[in-house]
Amino acid sequence: SRYSAAIAPGAEKPAWERRSSKLAPYVPCPVAKGAHVYWVTDQGVVECVEAKTGKVAWSERAFNAAVSASPVLAAGTVLAIDERGTVVA
């Protein structure tokens, strides 16, 4: 099981936490943009969650290959790349 949580600076408890067997990354780290957090699972599913609540805004398969790189934020765009070199924005 994989674990995701959001903790506000100075808070004693997580704002939200979630366990998932597949829809949480093991290797890639998440990236935050505005009111959302984005991550890519090792299996190539991109997920966007609300930073304050952890509620899933959307989730979709973006890659048909393994992903081990963390997404990046460049010029306001979230970019991700799989192990074959395919990039999605």
Side-chain angles (χ1 to χ4, degrees):
S1 173
R2 299 184 183 174
Y3 181 76
S4 304
I7 303 171
E12 293 183 23
K13 296 181 181 180
W16 57 267
E17 49 192 315
R18 183 172 113 182
R19 291 191 186 276
S20 173
S21 60
K22 294 184 181 179
L23 287 181
Y26 181 72
V27 176
C29 295
V31 64
K33 177 185 174 193
H36 295 94
V37 176
Y38 301 83
W39 58 64
V40 183
T41 69
D42 305 13
Q43 298 81 21
V45 176
V46 178
E47 193 164 68
C48 171
V49 300
E50 296 176 4
K52 288 186 178 183
T53 66
K55 180 182 175 187
V56 176
W58 55 265
S59 178
E60 67 180 74
R61 175 159 297 284
F63 301 105
N64 289 318
V67 177
S68 57
S70 300
V72 296
L73 183 62
T77 301
V78 177
L79 301 168
I81 187 169
D82 70 13
E83 292 184 7
R84 293 181 185 160
T86 304
V87 177
V88 297

